[in-house]
Amino acid sequence: MGCCCDDDERLLQPLNPSDIQNSDQIPPSSSSTSVVNGGDTVISPMNSNFSALICHDTLRAILEKLALPDLARAACVCRIWNLVASDREMQTKAFKVPWKIKDVIGDPTSGSFWRDNSLSKFAISHRIVRGDNVASLAVKYSVHVMGIKRLNNMLSDHGIYSRDRLLIPISNPDCLINGTCYIELDIYAKREVAVLYLEGGPDPKLTTMLNRLTSERSKKKVIDSLRRSMQVDGETAQYYFAVSDGDPRSAFSQFSEDLRWEREVGFT
């Protein structure tokens, strides 16, 4: 069985090349070392004698022992570490282990979701019924009123009446044991959390609405990015985004071609 040590040396290039000069010229088997103040030798994937630090299989066996925040830091070391540490299966496992969660369902809209799995990353979904108010829910779930307001981005208690559900902070982590969490971007709370449903699962209608709003928000971000890159108005950026079937690269290429043609014929 082959070892990943034979991979292209570009995989050893730091994610920020400016921090380490000529790092891509160091072969995987390099025996060079770095010395810091005091004469201590620093072991890193760029100067280590240990091929294990650049072997995919061995590196995976090491990184899968890390806690989620440490795994996120490992992904910033170099390209091959990023390749291994960004594995979805490994991230999900590291996310679940501390709280003994059974499963995590859904894909986050941002990779930064996997950088933290503190208790604040989780919430209980409470479907609002007649008679509910923030104070009564705080008592029911043994949390602070301000905790509910802060999590749901509410300025007053009256905000509850315009919503179908509230996210409740988790005060007792034991409720997560053997539970299934759903990664959701709440449009009111304006944050992405792992939601635990104590009864049943996500409401299909609510899920459909959240997915639609999330898609529209992502589309708006892409169009805004195109607008800044092209230095045009929003309508123009939206037009090129539409004619390229939602592919930003194709949209920018089409815009560049049209701009080049206008210059050739003397329009600009």
Side-chain angles (χ1 to χ4, degrees):
M1 181 177 66
C3 179
C4 296
C5 301
D6 299 326
D7 287 347
D8 189 344
E9 293 181 8
R10 286 186 66 254
L11 291 175
L12 291 174
Q13 185 177 349
L15 295 183
N16 187 358
S18 62
D19 292 341
I20 303 178
Q21 297 180 353
N22 300 323
S23 59
D24 57 350
Q25 299 177 0
I26 302 176
S29 60
S30 173
S31 60
S32 62
T33 57
S34 297
V35 179
V36 296
N37 294 335
D40 294 332
T41 301
V42 177
I43 297 177
S44 80
M46 304 309 303
N47 61 21
S48 174
N49 292 322
F50 301 101
S51 60
L53 294 179
I54 55 174
C55 176
H56 185 283
D57 296 334
T58 308
L59 184 58
R60 181 182 178 87
I62 296 173
L63 295 185
E64 66 183 4
K65 304 294 184 182
L66 299 180
L68 189 66
D70 295 328
L71 187 63
R73 295 187 187 98
C76 301
V77 173
C78 65
R79 296 184 186 279
I80 190 170
W81 281 46
N82 179 269
L83 180 66
V84 177
S86 298
D87 178 73
R88 172 61 188 274
E89 181 181 351
M90 185 182 298
Q91 290 175 328
T92 303
K93 180 180 178 181
F95 188 85
K96 298 186 301 181
V97 166
W99 310 112
K100 301 179 182 179
I101 300 171
K102 179 181 178 181
D103 198 9
V104 177
I105 299 175
D107 296 310
T109 58
S110 172
S112 62
F113 179 87
W114 300 113
R115 295 178 184 174
D116 173 43
N117 62 341
S118 61
L119 200 58
S120 62
K121 203 77 171 183
F122 300 87
I124 295 173
S125 177
H126 174 85
R127 189 167 183 81
I128 298 174
V129 297
R130 184 184 298 272
D132 279 344
N133 57 66
V134 179
S136 65
L137 293 178
V139 173
K140 177 179 179 179
Y141 292 100
S142 301
V143 296
H144 294 290
V145 170
M146 285 306 301
I148 296 178
K149 289 184 177 180
R150 189 178 299 111
L151 178 58
N152 290 275
N153 196 31
M154 293 171 54
L155 298 178
S156 70
D157 294 356
H158 300 293
I160 189 175
Y161 302 116
S162 62
R163 313 182 185 205
D164 294 321
R165 73 149 183 199
L166 282 183
L167 296 177
I168 308 297
I170 293 180
S171 59
N172 182 10
D174 289 345
C175 68
L176 292 172
I177 298 176
N178 294 324
T180 298
C181 294
Y182 297 81
I183 300 176
E184 298 178 4
L185 177 62
D186 191 273
I187 57 174
Y188 295 107
K190 297 182 179 180
R191 67 180 68 197
E192 200 164 33
V193 292
V195 180
L196 175 68
Y197 291 83
L198 298 181
E199 298 178 0
D203 183 348
K205 293 182 179 179
L206 178 61
T207 301
T208 300
M209 181 185 70
L210 290 175
N211 290 338
R212 177 175 57 82
L213 291 174
T214 300
S215 177
E216 291 177 356
R217 179 176 296 182
S218 299
K219 178 181 177 181
K220 184 176 183 298
K221 288 183 178 180
V222 173
I223 292 176
D224 286 342
S225 178
L226 284 173
R227 177 181 57 80
R228 292 191 297 268
S229 299
M230 296 176 178
Q231 297 182 354
V232 295
D233 57 84
E235 289 75 13
T236 302
Q238 188 170 2
Y239 164 77
Y240 281 100
F241 185 75
V243 298
S244 64
D245 295 327
D247 184 354
R249 292 180 181 272
S250 177
F252 193 81
S253 297
Q254 183 64 45
F255 171 75
S256 298
E257 291 178 4
D258 290 349
L259 189 62
R260 188 181 304 110
W261 177 81
E262 290 179 357
R263 288 172 178 171
E264 290 177 354
V265 298
F267 283 179
T268 57

